[in-house]
Amino acid sequence: MQSGFKTKLMIIMGVFSILLTLVISLVNQHRLKEQLIAGFKRESSLVEDVIVTAVSDADKAFQMSDDKLEEQMRDYSERLLEHYRDNPDVASWDYDALKKASGGMDIYIIDDAQKIVHSSFAPDVGLDFRADNETMRRFAELLAERLKGDSFVADGLDQESNTGKLRKYSYVPTPDHKYLIELGLYQENNPVFQSFNFLEIGRKLAEKYSYIHEITVFTTSGKAIGKSGEDGKAALVSSENRPYFDTAYRENDVQQVKRIENGRSVAYRYVPYIVQYSQDQEVRYTDHRIVEIKYNDQELLDKLKQNNNVFLIQLLATLAIALIISFVISRLVARPLYLASHDWLTGLFNRAAFVQSLSASIAKNNRRGQTTGLLHIDLDNFKQINDELGHDAGDAFLVEVSKRIRSAVSHPGAFIARLGGDEFVVILNDLDNERTATEVARAIIERLRSPMEIKGVDVVKEYQTTASIGIALAPEHARNSNDLYNCADQALYYAKRTSKNAYCTYGDAANFDPTG
């Protein structure tokens, strides 16, 4: 009995320790996970702000210095228009001489099919802006509109399609709208660009933060500023990411897509912004920028995985310690707790536990409309065993009696206790009638009549160690625990006086006259 109680106590404390440890560990693990994610988002937001600010500052600085350059491009465009009026045969123009006369500006002649047919920059001759890709088609539509117009237009910072180098371009249509004259001037040696080199800032950010793989600034057409692809031409936004790029441009809102590349998780974020020097400034096609930041998502995932591994190790270690502590505590407190409610000799419940249980049983059965039965058991001739065989024999006898009572009582939910000496009680719950209680009493008496050998003596036969039982029912005989106990005690007294080795109900004993 005591070992069973100790086991239950250890299990309860172990389960409690496990649950407490698990809850605390999960809370800590969740907090650390949130801190990692929050730190990643915070640094990512900082990187985005820095690079957007750098690009914006560079563009604004270019705009501030653009007025003089645009005026030069406008003047030379007018000279080229005069040259066209004098000689509309653009195939006969000396483009190298024209470039030299412009102070280093490349000249491009774009026909009504949006194709460069002549240029001082030979690699671009034959460049078809209506080529089968989204980047070229969108720009070709813009060029077609400019060809139909009558005004000079200068774009902001842009890049060369075939090399990806930074240039500033201007456009003016010929009077007959057959051609669009384009001027282009490299900007990489511009002192403003050297002072506001956002490409270098992007590279340094990628070096500083290991989870940033690459930062690329794209124009509206999807061409990377200052970056070339494997073919040596301007790098383009990937076709699979193009829908997110277009959405970012169209809705002017950050877009993100995650992908698996070379077995590792990466995230692409497209951050749009508009280059605007003043609120009343007209926004040009080339004043839009999309910053692509490629994040190494795997690093965050690896850190989260590492956090999970640390969590599991800490959890297992904490659980082991908690279980050891539970075991030690249960060993230390099990016996005192056990003895607080159990009889030290027989392992049955003691008087204190009986008093509490009887009150609770009466209340519970009353709510259910059921009867509570109380059997008060007293052993006949027990004193002779103690006197003749010794107290150790008496203790052995009580232990055996408790075992036989437990085996005789098969009623579900029954409560058995030893009140002290040779007194025992049985509480029967959910009784339908008195008959069930009397059947349990008969079973106990019959079980105690069986031979019982102690120190080589059959004490049942030698000392006539029988049992007398008093039975009382609630609410029929009493409504509270004290009265019920007194009724059962009175019934026991009647059983011992009239005929030992028998049971008696309170109803039989109610009219008994002890003096008679």
Side-chain angles (χ1 to χ4, degrees):
M1 290 287 286
Q2 184 174 344
S3 61
F5 176 83
K6 186 184 298 182
T7 301
K8 291 179 181 178
L9 178 62
M10 189 171 69
I11 291 174
I12 292 172
M13 293 192 67
V15 170
F16 174 77
S17 299
I18 290 173
L19 291 177
L20 181 62
T21 302
L22 187 61
V23 169
I24 294 175
S25 298
L26 285 174
V27 169
N28 288 335
Q29 193 264 351
H30 179 73
R31 178 175 56 81
L32 291 174
K33 178 181 177 181
E34 291 299 315
Q35 287 178 349
L36 281 174
I37 295 175
F40 178 81
K41 290 181 177 179
R42 186 166 53 251
E43 291 187 353
S44 300
S45 178
L46 176 63
V47 168
E48 291 173 10
D49 290 342
V50 169
I51 192 64
V52 168
T53 300
V55 177
S56 177
D57 288 345
D59 279 320
K60 289 178 180 179
F62 274 117
Q63 284 188 349
M64 293 175 65
S65 65
D66 260 0
D67 292 342
K68 184 177 180 180
L69 180 58
E70 286 187 12
E71 190 62 34
Q72 292 174 355
M73 299 179 87
R74 182 190 298 273
D75 290 344
Y76 197 67
S77 294
E78 290 294 336
R79 289 174 58 184
L80 290 175
L81 288 177
E82 289 295 330
H83 188 60
Y84 181 80
R85 292 186 185 97
D86 295 339
N87 179 16
D89 183 12
V90 293
S92 64
W93 288 11
D94 185 348
Y95 289 95
D96 289 336
L98 291 173
K99 177 178 179 179
K100 185 176 181 180
S102 70
M105 297 183 198
D106 277 308
I107 298 93
Y108 306 83
I109 303 299
I110 304 173
D111 65 9
D112 57 0
Q114 284 75 58
K115 184 177 181 180
I116 297 177
V117 291
H118 303 286
S119 176
S120 60
F121 186 67
D124 275 2
V125 175
L127 180 63
D128 187 358
F129 292 104
R130 288 185 177 179
D132 189 20
N133 67 70
E134 183 65 25
T135 300
M136 292 295 194
R137 280 198 302 270
R138 185 179 293 177
F139 190 59
E141 294 171 2
L142 179 63
L143 293 179
E145 292 179 8
R146 291 176 175 176
L147 180 63
K148 295 176 184 178
D150 296 304
S151 59
F152 168 85
V153 177
D155 282 340
L157 191 65
D158 207 338
Q159 75 291 328
E160 200 168 56
S161 297
N162 279 321
T163 66
K165 292 182 178 180
L166 295 176
R167 283 212 188 208
K168 181 175 177 62
Y169 292 99
S170 69
Y171 304 86
V172 66
T174 58
D176 55 7
H177 299 285
K178 290 180 61 177
Y179 301 104
L180 196 62
I181 299 176
E182 177 185 28
L183 299 180
L185 183 64
Y186 284 119
Q187 295 294 296
E188 291 176 331
N189 294 324
N190 190 318
V192 175
F193 179 78
Q194 297 298 327
S195 300
F196 297 89
N197 191 343
F198 57 85
L199 300 178
E200 182 63 25
I201 293 174
R203 282 192 289 270
K204 289 182 178 179
L205 287 173
E207 291 174 1
K208 180 178 180 181
Y209 298 100
S210 58
Y211 54 83
I212 297 178
H213 187 272
E214 190 175 18
I215 298 175
T216 307
V217 181
F218 289 97
T219 61
T220 312
S221 60
K223 292 186 288 185
I225 297 177
K227 286 190 178 182
S228 303
E230 294 179 358
D231 57 0
K233 297 182 179 181
L236 304 177
V237 64
S238 66
S239 58
E240 59 181 1
N241 289 349
R242 185 77 200 210
Y244 301 94
F245 176 92
D246 290 339
T247 302
Y249 165 67
R250 184 174 58 254
E251 299 181 1
N252 197 34
D253 191 24
V254 176
Q255 300 295 312
Q256 177 171 306
V257 58
K258 293 191 175 185
R259 305 212 179 275
I260 301 297
E261 296 181 358
N262 298 321
R264 299 180 70 82
S265 176
V266 297
Y268 290 89
R269 281 177 66 83
Y270 292 94
V271 185
Y273 81 96
I274 299 173
V275 180
Q276 203 165 7
Y277 183 67
S278 61
Q279 293 295 328
D280 57 351
Q281 172 193 329
E282 180 182 355
V283 179
R284 299 169 295 186
Y285 177 79
T286 53
D287 287 337
H288 292 268
R289 296 281 185 268
I290 308 292
V291 179
E292 177 194 80
I293 305 177
K294 181 180 178 182
Y295 289 101
N296 178 13
D297 247 15
Q298 192 64 42
E299 180 166 333
L300 176 61
L301 295 176
D302 290 342
K303 287 183 177 179
L304 291 175
K305 183 178 180 181
Q306 182 181 9
N307 180 56
N308 289 335
N309 293 337
V310 172
F311 160 72
L312 289 175
I313 293 173
Q314 291 178 339
L315 177 61
L316 292 175
T318 307
L319 285 177
I321 294 172
L323 290 175
I324 292 172
I325 293 175
S326 299
F327 174 77
V328 172
I329 292 176
S330 64
R331 295 275 296 184
L332 293 175
V333 304
R335 182 166 179 78
L337 288 177
Y338 180 82
L339 292 178
S341 59
H342 289 77
D343 174 51
W344 68 272
L345 177 63
T346 63
L348 298 177
F349 288 104
N350 59 18
R351 181 181 290 273
F354 161 71
V355 171
Q356 184 178 6
S357 181
L358 183 59
S359 297
S361 293
I362 292 174
K364 179 181 69 175
N365 291 323
N366 283 343
R367 287 194 299 269
R368 296 178 178 178
Q370 296 291 327
T371 297
T372 304
L374 176 61
L375 280 63
H376 192 177
I377 307 167
D378 186 81
L379 302 179
D380 304 320
N381 304 319
F382 169 66
K383 187 174 181 298
Q384 293 182 33
I385 298 176
N386 273 338
D387 292 342
E388 296 187 17
L389 298 180
H391 287 283
D392 56 338
D395 289 346
F397 174 72
L398 292 174
V399 171
E400 181 61 26
V401 167
S402 68
K403 292 179 180 178
R404 293 190 180 192
I405 293 176
R406 277 199 297 266
S407 64
V409 179
S410 59
H411 188 78
F415 179 93
I416 306 172
R418 179 191 174 209
L419 300 185
D422 59 353
E423 286 186 82
F424 297 83
V425 288
V426 178
I427 301 174
L428 302 175
N429 294 295
D430 298 324
L431 294 181
D432 294 324
N433 49 54
E434 184 181 280
R435 180 181 176 183
T436 303
T438 59
E439 288 177 351
V440 173
R442 277 198 298 269
I444 293 173
I445 291 172
E446 285 300 320
R447 193 65 57 88
L448 294 180
R449 283 177 179 170
S450 300
M452 185 188 306
E453 185 175 315
I454 297 176
K455 289 188 175 183
V457 178
D458 183 353
V459 293
V460 175
K461 180 180 179 181
E462 183 69 24
Y463 301 109
Q464 300 296 306
T465 54
T466 55
S468 298
I469 303 175
I471 303 172
L473 305 176
E476 180 179 342
H477 301 144
R479 292 187 174 275
N480 60 61
S481 59
N482 287 333
D483 291 343
L484 185 64
Y485 178 78
N486 291 333
C487 289
D489 188 58
Q490 188 173 341
L492 172 63
Y493 182 74
Y494 179 76
K496 292 182 76 71
R497 288 291 301 270
T498 56
S499 173
K500 293 181 179 180
N501 194 28
Y503 65 86
C504 177
T505 65
Y506 176 74
D508 296 333
N511 297 319
F512 173 65
D513 182 4
T515 63

